[in-house]
Amino acid sequence: MLALWRGASLKVLRKGADVACPRERAKLIMRPDDANVAGNVHGGTILKMIEEAGAIISTRHCNSQNGERCVAALARVERTDFLSPMCIGEVAHVSAEITYTSKHSVEVQVNVMSENILTGTKKLTNKATLWYVPLSLKNVDKVLEVPPVVYSRQEQEEEGRKRYEAQKLERMETKWRNGDIVQPVPNPEPNTVSYSQSSLIHLVGPSDCTLHGFVHGGVTMKLMDEVAGIVAARHCKTNIVTASVDAINFHDKIRKGCVITISGRMTFTSNKSMEIEVLVDADPVVDNSQKRYRAASAFFTYVSLSQEGKSLPVPQLVPETEDEKKRFEEGKGRYLQMKAKRQGPAEPQP
């Protein structure tokens, strides 16, 4: 997709500079097949662009020194907010920069801006942080060491290490608590979890995969966003757009030839937003030695829009089972936590 990638450039370390690391930039015009019926670019399309940018810069960095050749595989995407909609005909400016490296992983910051080429107006639409690991071209299960970056201040490395440890811990916790599956329910009532839950089954082909033969992270994220969008549309029956994506965790690689099931279910609704849990399970049908496994998981947040693009109230979710009620309370906790973070610290009382 990112056919207009410019060459990598090395940021020159100077007084006041943060990190000496490669940067990438790309431009891409948004076309009708990138958008929904209202003309807004699909969140999954933007996520795919973000992942491709991160994969390119990470792979280049991990091969910047002599040694065994590798390709960078996506391990995690931190929370991503969709700050402003992007429309058909606008140009997406994608920039990526490496901000931290551990022994076996790379942190990449990706920014996306939209440009109206008629007026020249530019808007920041997305900021995302992604984590990649370098996998050997000779052995896909072998993780190689990452060339370090140079920091101008020790605090930058320490802050990066804290982010690394936090995401590593959360990724492991998420993997263990996502063991359940989404089961269909006959004749569900409107506004219930079962009424809007949806699944998509996809056979992984060569066009979905890297040279290693496993699925691009961006392809998986695009499919996840499609399923989450279907769940949101079924629930509120209006135009919907992606508002944010909580951390996407990639628990295991998906190989070519697998059949993947992407399942989505609503977990929480506020007055104007919907949280949807999306689970990706892989079934290696051509390999009898391996059983079905959980490959990825995430929470997507959607909002309902009128034909004029204004926010609409969301029908309130009716949780029925104990598990649904538990997930609703957990979703409410995430919602309140992010709401408090956006509002910032409270003013001290006199």
Side-chain angles (χ1 to χ4, degrees):
M1 176 179 275
L2 296 185
L4 301 182
W5 275 100
R6 299 174 180 174
S9 60
L10 188 67
K11 181 180 177 183
V12 180
L13 188 62
R14 60 189 184 279
K15 186 175 180 180
D18 293 339
V19 183
C21 62
R23 285 180 169 180
E24 296 280 357
R25 289 181 173 85
K27 297 179 182 179
L28 187 71
I29 192 165
M30 296 292 98
R31 304 185 184 278
D33 57 352
D34 297 319
N36 61 19
V37 293
N40 298 320
V41 176
H42 290 293
T45 299
I46 297 174
L47 289 171
K48 191 169 185 288
M49 287 193 296
I50 289 172
E51 195 280 328
E52 288 175 346
I56 290 172
I57 193 172
S58 299
T59 299
R60 279 183 169 161
H61 177 73
C62 292
N63 288 282
S64 61
Q65 297 182 358
N66 294 330
E68 191 171 345
R69 295 301 158 192
C70 63
V71 63
L74 183 63
R76 177 178 165 89
V77 181
E78 301 289 359
R79 180 182 172 89
T80 304
D81 290 301
F82 289 74
L83 307 173
S84 178
M86 191 181 299
C87 301
I88 295 172
E90 292 186 329
V91 173
H93 294 253
V94 187
S95 61
E97 182 178 8
I98 293 174
T99 49
Y100 177 76
T101 58
S102 68
K103 185 177 181 180
H104 295 293
S105 64
V106 182
E107 181 190 50
V108 181
Q109 178 73 46
V110 180
N111 293 337
V112 182
M113 297 191 70
S114 65
E115 177 192 3
N116 184 320
I117 56 178
L118 300 180
T119 64
T121 303
K122 292 183 179 180
K123 296 181 294 183
L124 179 66
T125 63
N126 293 82
K127 294 178 68 176
T129 301
L130 305 91
W131 293 88
Y132 289 82
V133 292
L135 304 180
S136 168
L137 286 175
K138 297 179 180 178
N139 179 4
V140 71
D141 295 318
K142 180 181 179 182
V143 180
L144 302 181
E145 292 191 10
V146 176
V149 294
V150 180
Y151 304 91
S152 61
R153 302 194 315 272
Q154 184 178 358
E155 293 83 359
Q156 293 163 351
E157 184 174 8
E158 292 174 352
E159 291 167 358
R161 187 180 296 111
K162 290 179 181 178
R163 294 193 301 271
Y164 165 76
E165 294 295 340
Q167 64 84 26
K168 184 178 179 181
L169 178 61
E170 185 175 337
R171 193 168 72 243
M172 292 302 299
E173 290 177 347
T174 304
K175 182 175 182 179
W176 288 113
R177 71 171 179 258
N178 276 338
D180 57 344
I181 60 176
V182 178
Q183 298 284 3
V185 175
N187 303 318
E189 293 292 327
N191 299 336
T192 62
V193 175
S194 302
Y195 184 81
S196 60
Q197 69 181 30
S198 304
S199 295
L200 182 153
I201 298 175
H202 179 75
L203 174 63
V204 176
S207 62
D208 299 321
C209 299
T210 66
L211 295 175
H212 266 95
F214 60 84
V215 177
H216 287 286
V219 171
T220 305
M221 290 194 293
K222 192 172 188 296
L223 292 170
M224 294 172 78
D225 180 71
E226 288 180 9
V227 170
I230 293 171
V231 173
R234 280 181 168 172
H235 180 76
C236 61
K237 301 189 186 321
T238 63
N239 179 38
I240 46 86
V241 293
T242 313
S244 66
V245 184
D246 208 351
I248 303 176
N249 292 289
F250 292 83
H251 309 301
D252 209 337
K253 299 180 290 293
I254 305 173
R255 296 182 182 274
K256 181 173 61 179
C258 281
V259 172
I260 56 175
T261 302
I262 306 98
S263 304
R265 61 187 173 196
M266 194 159 295
T267 51
F268 171 76
T269 54
S270 66
N271 290 333
K272 292 189 177 181
S273 66
M274 301 162 276
E275 183 191 71
I276 296 131
E277 182 180 28
V278 182
L279 309 173
V280 181
D281 295 310
D283 187 3
V285 292
V286 296
D287 183 3
N288 294 329
S289 64
Q290 191 174 9
K291 297 181 179 180
R292 181 185 175 109
Y293 60 92
R294 176 63 41 83
S297 59
F299 290 98
F300 287 70
T301 300
Y302 275 75
V303 293
S304 174
L305 298 180
S306 67
Q307 293 183 349
E308 294 75 30
K310 295 183 178 179
S311 180
L312 293 174
V314 171
Q316 292 305 289
L317 182 66
V318 181
E320 297 176 298
T321 69
E322 290 302 316
D323 285 341
E324 291 171 358
K325 292 175 182 178
K326 179 181 178 182
R327 286 193 291 267
F328 186 92
E329 290 301 318
E330 291 172 346
K332 183 178 180 180
R334 288 186 290 269
Y335 167 77
L336 294 175
Q337 185 179 26
M338 289 310 304
K339 185 177 181 180
K341 187 177 294 187
R342 286 194 301 268
Q343 292 175 345
E347 293 291 332
Q349 298 295 325

